[in-house]
Amino acid sequence: MERRILFITDEPNFLVKAMIKSLEDANFKVQVADPDMVGIAHIENLPEIFMVYLDGNLNKFNGTLVYLKKLLTEDGKERILYLIGNSMELEEAYQTLPRNLVASSFKRPVNVREILTKLNMLVADDKASSTGKKKILVVDDDSVTLRTMKLWLSVDYDVYIVNSGMNAIKFLMQTPVDLILLDYEMPVVSGLQVFEMLKSDFNTKDIPVIFLTAKDDKETVMKVLAAKPEKYLLKSMEPDLLVKAVNDFFKGK
């Protein structure tokens, strides 16, 4: 991913300007834009990284957030969104943007080093390396979920992503992993069918599987648990809680 950022802010103050300078000093090319969906739509060669600084009258940001939601879900390109604001502003933004579309949110006062850590991890080479970290395979047909899961977990783990059950089977024939996070509901070959194939194969039967599900109703939960995975996690979980659940799983081993 390129080191280019679209920084969306309303009337940049001193702190915003200092943050932008820090990003530029870290070799990121920052393009500043007003929260104006029409203006953003006319930007040529739009950066893949969006950073929205929420401040003041959030009504000014509503149209922009709706437009960013469309870009993140409908145009087929890999894009990443970060939000910056106070607790109230972030919660209000989540009324427009589903949480799983936001790679990370940062509360003011902003820790620029934390932001740079996330950004540098994002643009780092995707090739697998011998880091000594535990290896996790995330299987989901939704590209946004794959990107966000990789972003959340890559600080502590080597994370691989595939977009279908059959691609997961092919991947595991070549690359062993320590944990599989498997979407329970996928088209063509469901998560349950993939789970059964994994458990019937000598080479993959001992790899622990945690199901990911978007539903928490009793019927769905009972179906998930009936397959006897290691556990299940809700896709709607906050990033910190999801990462903690994975950390706790490995600590229990």
Side-chain angles (χ1 to χ4, degrees):
M1 185 166 282
E2 296 179 336
R3 302 178 72 89
R4 298 191 303 122
I5 300 170
L6 182 66
F7 196 105
I8 302 170
T9 180
D10 183 37
E11 299 181 4
N13 56 32
F14 173 78
L15 293 176
V16 171
K17 291 178 180 178
M19 185 186 311
I20 291 172
K21 185 178 186 305
S22 295
L23 294 170
E24 292 175 334
D25 288 344
N27 297 318
F28 286 92
K29 184 177 181 180
V30 182
Q31 183 173 356
V32 181
D34 295 326
D36 174 13
M37 61 181 293
V38 176
I40 295 172
H42 283 86
I43 295 176
E44 295 184 4
N45 192 21
L46 200 64
E48 298 170 329
I49 303 172
F50 303 139
M51 191 168 291
V52 182
Y53 191 95
L54 301 165
D55 192 15
N57 183 3
L58 292 190
N59 289 330
K60 294 182 178 181
F61 289 86
N62 287 339
T64 298
L65 294 177
V66 170
Y67 182 63
L68 293 180
K69 177 182 177 181
K70 180 179 179 180
L71 288 178
L72 289 163
T73 57
E74 296 181 6
D75 76 346
K77 295 183 179 180
E78 183 176 358
R79 302 189 189 280
I80 296 293
L81 172 64
Y82 296 102
L83 294 180
I84 301 169
N86 61 32
S87 297
M88 183 183 70
E89 292 163 343
L90 292 172
E91 285 302 319
E92 188 169 336
Y94 285 136
Q95 300 302 311
T96 302
L97 281 168
R99 291 176 185 266
N100 70 327
L101 293 182
V102 181
S104 290
S105 60
F106 304 93
K107 292 182 181 178
R108 296 197 305 268
V110 181
N111 184 336
V112 179
R113 287 187 178 182
E114 182 183 357
I115 294 177
L116 287 172
T117 297
K118 295 279 189 181
L119 287 170
N120 284 321
M121 178 183 65
L122 178 65
V123 300
D125 190 352
D126 285 335
K127 293 181 180 179
S129 59
S130 300
T131 61
K133 296 179 180 178
K134 295 286 189 182
K135 294 178 172 58
I136 298 176
L137 175 64
V138 184
V139 187
D140 200 299
D141 63 296
D142 181 72
S143 61
V144 174
T145 298
L146 290 176
R147 292 200 305 269
T148 53
M149 286 284 185
K150 182 171 184 178
L151 193 66
W152 297 342
L153 294 166
S154 288
V155 173
D156 299 313
Y157 305 99
D158 283 337
V159 182
Y160 307 91
I161 56 177
V162 295
N163 62 2
S164 73
M166 296 314 299
N167 284 338
I169 299 297
K170 293 176 184 177
F171 177 88
L172 292 167
M173 291 174 64
Q174 304 293 329
T175 308
V177 299
D178 300 291
L179 175 65
I180 300 170
L181 298 180
L182 177 60
D183 183 18
Y184 183 76
E185 294 181 307
M186 292 188 294
V188 185
V189 181
S190 71
L192 180 58
Q193 290 172 311
V194 176
F195 181 82
E196 291 171 345
M197 285 188 280
L198 292 173
K199 292 306 175 183
S200 64
D201 189 294
F202 177 81
N203 295 311
T204 58
K205 64 182 181 66
D206 294 324
I207 302 176
V209 175
I210 292 177
F211 274 126
L212 301 171
T213 177
K215 300 179 180 179
D216 60 356
D217 60 278
K218 183 177 179 180
E219 181 180 356
T220 300
V221 171
M222 294 301 292
K223 286 181 179 179
V224 170
L225 293 177
K228 298 184 179 179
E230 295 291 331
K231 60 191 308 182
Y232 76 94
L233 300 175
L234 293 175
K235 291 184 180 182
S236 58
M237 292 177 69
E238 293 284 348
D240 291 346
L241 293 178
L242 189 143
V243 173
K244 182 180 183 301
V246 174
N247 291 342
D248 290 345
F249 168 77
F250 281 116
K251 287 178 183 177
K253 289 294 179 180

